[in-house]
Amino acid sequence: MFFACTNYYIKSSKIHHILLIPLSIQVCASSHFLNFCSEPLFWLALFYSFIIMAIGKCKDIENGLDNGLGDLDLEKPFLQPPKTVDSEEDDNDSTKTEETENIVMVLLSTSVAVCGSFEFGSCVGFSAPTESAIRKDLNLSLAEFSMFGSIITIGAMIGAITSGKIADFIGRKGAMRLSSVFCIAGWLAVYFSLGTLTLDIGRFFTGYGIGIFSYVVPVFISEIAPKNLRGGLATINQLMIVSGSSVAYLLGTFVSWRTLALTGLVPCILLLGGLFFIPESPRWLANVGREKDFQVALRNLRGKDADVSHEAAEIEAYNLTLQSLPKAQVLDLFASKYIRSVIIAVGLMVFQQFGGINGIGFYASETFATAGPSIAKVGTVSYAIVQIPITILGAFLMDKSGRRPLLMVSASGTFLGCFLTGFSFFLKSQNMLLEWVPLIAVSGVLTYIAAFSIGMGAVPWVMMSEIFPINVKGVAGSLVVLVNWFGAWVVSFTFNFIMSWSSTGTFGLYAAICALTVLFVAKIVPETKNKTLEEIQASINSYVS
């Protein structure tokens, strides 16, 4: 759901190894029982190693959580070099070593947490490469598989709504444990399924689990990271979601659907084990009054010799400020000073979802097979590979070109992709240029996903974090997330039905919505690049008054 990337290249080789832990173990563990597909997994691991190193060319962006972290300095490097003084060279080297050691626990904690992000992507990517095999093995109708594919969004909707209270009640680590248990139970139910009931229950459980992950993982990362690392580390969450989805797409082209379900257990097991070795969020500990544990956790994250008194005072002061603010209700969002922000955020989410992303993504393999069976596997693999580099490019461009231009270019690209795909099905229905139909269809879908990844995937979430004042950001975020997941369910459930009605009409409908997105952005959405939150609010309110 949130796509972004990190800032500068991390020069320490130790840091690289820590950041690669979740993905490397995931691939190795999978190959342990998938020997026959070890060669593709080797190349996949190599590919992602280069992706992690490529993160260094991107700029930080704010991921926009309502966790009371204040404005981030988005222009600071991913890792800021330690300050030095005019002294001996060995003293400077010692300072740098200490700085690196101080962030190891932060990076390890982040690596553990983003196993949940990888699991998120794995769950979302499961249905695309497995549709034909599941329908054949379990004799599912089109309606039954559509329910299986889409019910994950219902679970995620409920999980996202309840995630805040769960994370506040049992802690960030407790919420991640609970989410992992639901995902494990869901994958096992899918693996042992002999009919639609257990299949749907398993899919719903994984949906509920990733709904919690979608909230608690970025919150946990933002709460444990020091200010100069926060933006960059938070964006690893987004990259791992895309990575998990791509790995599921690729593995699904080589292994059975039951085996693919078992691979979904690996990130959860890694997460459950890793949670024993990392501290709880110090901000949550401070918020619930566990002062001693708060100090211990903060010192573990910053280093045993670090002076944490200033940061501890800031956290406690913010908690007092937050408690003094009035509790906003949903109806408060419809006051004149907030209504335009609501229209912008909800509108962007509606256009993001009803442009067809979850229908096209959930059932990509079947779409390719409909255009031409010979191109199905190549199309699915290409779909998986293209997402990650384009997502990184989009994050780099976000602070270069601005939000509005990126949204308009992205929406225009999704329109072109839908138009090409619909045109390919039109040619097929008219028995014209049949040898070109598969190529045009694959080109259209790849154009769509590339355009979506560069802007419409990430920018609406970034803008949501920027256009709401802090006192209503929590309730506004809940409303926007609810709209987003509801739209995801509608599109993923109806996609197969309208495809059976008319493939050309399906993509023509999505193309029309993408065209409307361009008009919506041009007329309604403000530019927020290089503006403080106060300036953004003043700009939005000037339209209302």
Side-chain angles (χ1 to χ4, degrees), residues 88-134:
E88 300 290 334
E89 184 176 340
D90 56 345
D91 290 339
N92 293 339
D93 293 338
S94 175
T95 303
K96 293 178 182 178
T97 301
E98 182 182 350
E99 181 77 11
T100 301
E101 290 175 351
N102 287 350
I103 65 171
V104 166
M105 181 55 73
V106 174
L107 295 174
L108 176 62
S109 300
T110 300
S111 298
V112 171
V114 295
C115 288
S117 308
F118 195 95
E119 175 68 10
F120 187 120
S122 299
C123 294
V124 171
F126 178 78
S127 62
T130 60
E131 178 176 358
S132 59
I134 292 177

Side-chain angles (χ1 to χ4, degrees), residues 115-195:
C115 288
S117 308
F118 195 95
E119 175 68 10
F120 187 120
S122 299
C123 294
V124 171
F126 178 78
S127 62
T130 60
E131 178 176 358
S132 59
I134 292 177
R135 289 188 63 184
K136 180 180 179 180
D137 291 352
L138 301 183
N139 195 28
L140 300 185
S141 66
L142 180 66
E144 288 171 332
F145 188 83
S146 294
M147 176 55 71
F148 167 73
S150 63
I151 199 171
I152 188 174
T153 60
I154 298 177
M157 192 188 312
I158 298 172
I161 294 172
T162 59
S163 60
K165 291 190 179 297
I166 290 173
D168 287 344
F169 184 68
I170 62 176
R172 302 345 184 188
K173 289 173 61 177
M176 285 189 278
R177 287 192 181 98
L178 180 65
S179 183
S180 296
V181 169
F182 269 96
C183 287
I184 289 173
W187 284 123
L188 291 176
V190 170
Y191 178 78
F192 290 109
S193 292
L194 298 176

Side-chain angles (χ1 to χ4, degrees), residues 195-400:
T196 58
L197 180 60
T198 51
L199 197 68
D200 289 346
I201 290 175
R203 186 74 164 165
F204 177 85
F205 276 12
T206 59
Y208 184 78
I210 67 173
I212 298 175
F213 275 140
S214 69
Y215 171 81
V216 73
V217 171
V219 165
F220 176 77
I221 294 172
S222 295
E223 290 182 346
I224 65 170
K227 184 176 181 180
N228 64 313
L229 293 177
R230 190 173 296 138
L233 290 179
T235 55
I236 295 176
N237 167 63
Q238 323 308 332
L239 186 61
M240 291 300 287
I241 292 175
V242 179
S243 300
S245 176
S246 294
V247 169
Y249 271 71
L250 293 173
L251 286 179
T253 62
F254 298 106
V255 304
S256 70
W257 65 271
R258 292 188 190 273
T259 303
L260 185 60
L262 286 182
T263 66
L265 299 175
V266 178
C268 296
I269 294 171
L270 292 176
L271 179 60
L272 288 174
L275 287 174
F276 287 104
F277 302 99
I278 64 175
E280 177 58 272
S281 162
R283 290 177 179 271
W284 178 76
L285 292 170
N287 195 46
V288 297
R290 292 168 57 178
E291 180 66 27
K292 183 177 179 180
D293 292 335
F294 159 61
Q295 294 286 345
V296 171
L298 191 59
R299 196 168 297 280
N300 285 339
L301 290 166
R302 303 296 180 257
K304 60 181 180 180
D305 297 324
D307 182 6
V308 298
S309 58
H310 180 67
E311 184 176 2
E314 284 185 338
I315 292 173
E316 292 174 337
Y318 175 79
N319 285 336
L320 292 175
T321 302
L322 190 63
Q323 292 169 6
S324 67
L325 293 175
K327 298 294 183 181
Q329 303 297 324
V330 174
L331 292 179
D332 296 335
L333 296 176
F334 298 95
S336 59
K337 58 182 176 179
Y338 303 133
I339 189 63
R340 188 164 185 264
S341 297
V342 171
I343 292 172
I344 293 167
V346 171
L348 285 175
M349 293 304 175
V350 168
F351 284 114
Q352 181 196 66
Q353 291 302 323
F354 285 90
I357 180 59
N358 278 297
I360 296 171
F362 278 22
Y363 310 110
S365 295
E366 200 63 23
T367 302
F368 293 135
T370 302
S374 61
I375 206 73
K377 182 171 287 190
V378 174
T380 302
V381 172
S382 301
Y383 185 101
I385 293 174
V386 77
Q387 294 184 82
I388 298 174
I390 297 298
T391 298
I392 294 174
L393 175 63
F396 175 76
L397 292 175
M398 192 178 301
D399 284 329
K400 289 287 187 181

Side-chain angles (χ1 to χ4, degrees), residues 481-495:
V481 168
L482 181 63
V483 170
N484 185 274
W485 280 115
F486 178 75
W489 174 77
V490 170
V491 171
S492 59
F493 181 72
T494 59
F495 180 82

